[in-house]
């Protein structure tokens, strides 16, 4: 077993336990603990409890590693590895009782920023749907025991794409412009699933041909981006030239990546 595979196994184990806790808490009812960057940006009591569980397990099993979590913040380490964690990705789905939410756990090496890190391992677990996506660097992306591959080609009807929207209402006009730029000539249809880690996992699994979104946080994309690249897809994140806006993420099968990235203004 390589280091990446050891980290993958740990991420999988903790994601299962954390996801099952999130599901049990959801069945008992949701309480909104606070709003964050915008009124629509909520955190539930379960987000905090689940992240606390993940953090405690990692501290017990990998005490020298650093941590970066959506709800409880960052803590340094000695090993050069950081765990990047979204305890409940798709919090609004979770609050509304939509099953498309996931625990996302990744181990990265280097500076814990998406431009600088090298993702080593990741797990994305949807406890209601019961799917565990996982990947280790140079050892593939998997759904359970099935190896994942992005779609090799896109049919004449066009690509099935997904996108997402940040919480800040001021970014909505830009998001709509982006859809207008991307859809004509490229998309057969567009999905807005509500959990970025799952959108990326679905690109890896060939359930989507591509995905784009502006303004994702590191914990939204850390595990999912590794799933995509280990499944043979392409992943890019950059600020389009001259744009004052947040970085744009594009992930897809290589069959459409250049066209999708160009339409979105990434290249
Ligand atoms: C959000 C989801 C959503 C995406 C937002 C993210 P959260 O994460 O991934 O799909 O559109 O940009 O912030 O807040 O549910 O962890």
């Amino acid at each position: 077993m390589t280091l990446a595979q050891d980290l993958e196994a740990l991420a999988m184990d903790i994601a299962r336990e954390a996801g099952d806790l999130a599901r049990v808490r959801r069945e008992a009812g949701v309480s909104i603990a606070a709003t964050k960057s915008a009124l629509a940006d909520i955190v539930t009591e379960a987000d905090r409890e689940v992240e606390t569980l993940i953090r405690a397990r990692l501290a017990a099993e990998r005490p020298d590693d650093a941590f970066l979590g959506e709800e409880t913040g960052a803590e340094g380490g000695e090993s050069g590895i950081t765990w990047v964690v979204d305890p409940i990705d798709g919090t609004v789905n979770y609050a509304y009782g939509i099953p498309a939410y996931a625990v996302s756990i990744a181990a990265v090496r280097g500076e814990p920023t998406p431009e600088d890190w090298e993702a080593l391992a990741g797990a994305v677990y949807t406890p209601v749907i019961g799917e565990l996506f996982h990947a280790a660097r140079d050892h593939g992306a998997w759904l359970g025991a099935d190896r994942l591959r992005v779609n090799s080609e896109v049919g004449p009807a066009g690509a099935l794409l997904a996108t997402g929207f940040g919480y800040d209402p001021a970014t909505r006009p830009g998001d709509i412009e982006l859809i207008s730029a991307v859809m004509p000539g490229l998309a057969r249809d567009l999905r807005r699933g509500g959990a970025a880690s799952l959108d990326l996992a679905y690109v890896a699994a060939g359930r989507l041909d591509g995905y784009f979104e502006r303004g994702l946080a590191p914990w939204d994309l850390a595990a999912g981006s590794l799933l995509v690249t280990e499944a043979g897809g392409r992943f890019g994140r950059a600020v389009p030239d001259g744009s004052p806006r947040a970085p744009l993420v594009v992930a897809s099968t290589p069959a459409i990546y250049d066209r999708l990235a160009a339409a979105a203004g990434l290249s």
Side-chain angles (χ1 to χ4, degrees):
M1 290 261 275
T2 64
L3 170 66
Q5 286 175 300
D6 282 341
L7 299 173
E8 177 191 29
L10 181 59
M12 291 166 68
D13 188 42
I14 298 178
R16 268 196 218 95
E17 184 180 344
D20 291 340
L21 174 64
R23 181 177 47 76
V24 167
R25 291 291 181 264
R26 181 65 187 77
E27 283 162 7
V30 177
S31 60
I32 309 299
T35 57
K36 299 190 287 182
S37 61
L39 275 179
D41 186 4
I42 53 170
V43 54
T44 68
E45 294 291 354
D47 284 90
R48 290 176 174 171
E49 190 184 0
V50 172
E51 186 161 311
T52 300
L53 177 150
I54 296 169
R55 197 165 179 159
R57 283 227 35 208
L58 288 169
E61 307 214 21
R62 304 262 326 166
D64 294 338
D65 295 350
F67 183 87
L68 175 63
E70 178 173 17
E71 312 303 344
T72 62
E75 188 179 329
E78 303 297 319
S79 67
I81 291 171
T82 302
W83 291 90
V84 184
V85 169
D86 193 338
I88 301 179
D89 182 37
T91 305
V92 175
N93 283 349
Y94 184 79
Y96 274 75
I98 297 172
Y101 65 86
V103 175
S104 176
I105 301 179
V108 306
R109 183 157 52 198
E111 285 301 304
T113 47
E115 294 73 37
D116 305 310
W117 73 40
E118 177 185 54
L120 295 178
V124 173
Y125 177 53
T126 57
V128 179
I129 302 166
E131 290 185 320
L132 177 58
F133 299 88
H134 53 100
R137 189 172 198 86
D138 301 327
H139 290 277
W142 305 81
L143 172 53
D146 296 331
R147 184 141 191 188
L148 299 179
R149 292 266 170 225
V150 296
N151 286 332
S152 54
E153 53 189 51
V154 171
L160 184 60
L161 301 178
T163 193
F165 310 109
Y167 292 114
D168 179 359
T171 61
R172 294 290 149 72
D175 292 337
I176 291 164
E177 271 169 37
L178 191 55
I179 291 172
S180 307
V182 166
M183 278 196 79
L186 190 55
R188 69 186 295 155
D189 207 339
L190 186 69
R191 301 284 180 265
R192 196 295 189 243
S197 62
L198 274 184
D199 291 325
L200 291 163
Y202 285 8
V203 172
R207 296 176 184 176
L208 293 168
D209 296 308
Y211 163 71
F212 58 95
E213 178 165 352
R214 198 180 337 253
L216 290 180
W219 41 81
D220 296 319
L221 59 87
S225 58
L226 183 66
L227 286 165
V228 170
T229 53
E230 284 296 322
R234 291 179 63 186
F235 177 89
R237 179 177 180 273
V239 179
D241 281 350
S243 167
R245 297 184 180 133
L248 175 69
V249 158
V250 171
S252 74
T253 157
I256 58 159
Y257 184 86
D258 289 337
R259 286 168 62 208
L260 177 57
L266 199 63
S267 56

